[in-house]
Amino acid sequence: QSALTQPASVSGSPGQSITISCTGTSGDFVPHNYVCWFQQHPGRAPKLILFDVNNRPSGISNRFSGSKSGNTASLTISGLQAEDEADYYCSSYTTRFTYVFGTGTRVTVL
Amino acid sequence: QVQLVQSGAELKKPGASVKVSCKASGYTFTDYSLQWVRQAPGLSLEWLGWINPDGGGTQYSQNLRGRITITMDTSARTAYMELSRLRSEDTAVYYCAREATRGLDLDHWGQGTLVTVSS
């Protein structure tokens, strides 16, 4: 199973919105909604910020939202803040209870 | 509170095996699957496999099948990930994480265990 494809980097100014894509091969995201997004700050363990495409765990800001269309899932961060500067990874269920992560995106707040 | 505490860093030679432990506390151990993920230096996350403590069912990444074994000791509330025939490319931080429901919604993570493979 190959990793899902994400842009290597995305940047934005404080207050702006940015979107990170996560692209798989045909069928990677169909017919399930088991797409998650994780945030990772340097030297720290990843942190779950979205599950089931667009659901936020308790305590996660509503500035984070997700969507899925065809073979692409997306994470949107609105009202970008300095603390959002981190690496972001998508993940998806594949087949037979196995999973795959994305290649990761470095978000820079200008 | 939920905690996952992993064993300490390991230095192994190529061809050797390593066994990383993950001790859970703060919740009913058999109610949640435990997943294993690794991250090589400067690289992305890689899914390795999971174990369901309620029955012991497992599943592994095709990329590691044959070299990885995930086990558990329910009485000790501990899961183990063993990787054999180590190569330099296996150098990474290995994480265990609790799956909240399904679909890799990993809501609590261990602190990570650095495994270095070097001659």
Side-chain angles (χ1 to χ4, degrees):
Chain A
Q1 177 68 42
S2 300
L4 305 171
T5 301
Q6 299 180 230
S9 62
V10 173
S11 61
S13 299
Q16 285 187 329
S17 292
I18 61 170
T19 296
I20 301 169
S21 61
C22 170
T23 303
T25 57
S26 175
D28 272 335
F29 298 122
V30 179
H32 64 84
N33 285 322
Y34 296 143
V35 177
C36 296
W37 288 89
F38 298 87
Q39 177 192 63
Q40 186 180 34
H41 288 105
R44 304 292 298 275
K47 179 181 180 181
L48 179 68
I49 57 172
L50 290 176
F51 65 95
D52 292 353
V53 177
N54 191 28
N55 287 279
R56 290 183 304 277
S58 174
I60 299 301
S61 170
N62 59 8
R63 298 186 298 105
F64 296 96
S65 62
S67 64
K68 183 191 75 168
S69 178
N71 65 341
T72 299
S74 298
L75 166 69
T76 298
I77 309 175
S78 58
L80 199 62
Q81 299 180 0
E83 68 209 48
D84 300 330
E85 189 160 290
D87 293 328
Y88 292 82
Y89 296 92
C90 61
S91 71
S92 175
Y93 174 83
T94 58
T95 59
R96 300 179 185 176
F97 303 102
T98 64
Y99 299 90
V100 65
F101 282 99
T103 51
T105 299
R106 172 69 53 87
V107 168
T108 301
V109 181
L110 302 171
Chain B
Q1 73 281 20
V2 174
Q3 276 195 308
L4 298 173
V5 178
Q6 300 182 220
S7 48
E10 301 265 11
L11 173 61
K12 296 291 183 180
K13 294 191 182 303
S17 297
V18 68
K19 193 170 186 177
V20 179
S21 67
C22 171
K23 184 173 178 61
S25 62
Y27 69 96
T28 302
F29 183 68
T30 51
D31 281 354
Y32 299 86
S33 291
L34 281 171
Q35 301 267 359
W36 289 87
V37 175
R38 73 178 178 182
Q39 186 171 36
L43 298 183
S44 63
L45 303 174
E46 179 184 4
W47 177 78
L48 302 181
W50 56 257
I51 187 165
N52 182 350
D54 184 18
T58 57
Q59 183 60 284
Y60 303 121
S61 166
Q62 187 72 35
N63 296 337
L64 292 175
R65 201 154 294 169
R67 293 203 298 133
I68 186 173
T69 306
I70 300 173
T71 57
M72 66 177 183
D73 180 342
T74 304
S75 63
R77 305 171 57 84
T78 301
Y80 304 91
M81 188 285 304
E82 184 169 19
L83 192 60
S84 62
R85 304 192 300 279
L86 289 168
R87 312 160 184 164
S88 58
E89 311 90 86
D90 295 318
T91 294
V93 175
Y94 288 74
Y95 294 101
C96 64
R98 189 185 82 162
E99 186 175 47
T101 54
R102 68 214 174 285
L104 212 62
D105 52 347
L106 306 178
D107 63 348
H108 289 86
W109 292 66
Q111 82 275 22
T113 297
L114 175 62
V115 174
T116 303
V117 183
S118 173
S119 55

